[in-house]
Amino acid sequence: NIRHIASKYNEFVVELPMPAEAFLQKMKKRGIQAGVALSRFYADETNSILVCVTEINSKAEIEQLIQSMREVA
């Protein structure tokens, strides 16, 4: 689930069905830096990550990120 949707932001929070740290480790094994665990800043956000995409990221890279996130989570 994506929280705080806005039309201009390139950063967004994704709520995961698993602990963020475990998710990020699995993504790292695939060679993907998927985001930052919000638990680093907010102790109660154990299943949330902050994700950022910019104009530097191609459509194919974003699609690969989404597909990998679906497979891992």
Side-chain angles (χ1 to χ4, degrees), residues 21 35-43 45:
E21 292 292 345
V36 176
L38 285 184
S39 59
R40 290 179 55 190
F41 310 102
Y42 306 100
E45 295 284 352

Side-chain angles (χ1 to χ4, degrees), residues 36-66:
V36 176
L38 285 184
S39 59
R40 290 179 55 190
F41 310 102
Y42 306 100
D44 61 332
E45 295 284 352
T46 58
N47 288 20
S48 298
I49 61 172
L50 181 66
V51 177
C52 177
V53 294
T54 69
E55 67 279 356
I56 295 172
N57 302 104
S58 69
K59 182 177 178 179
E61 289 173 323
I62 294 169
E63 289 174 354
Q64 178 187 9
L65 171 66
I66 293 167

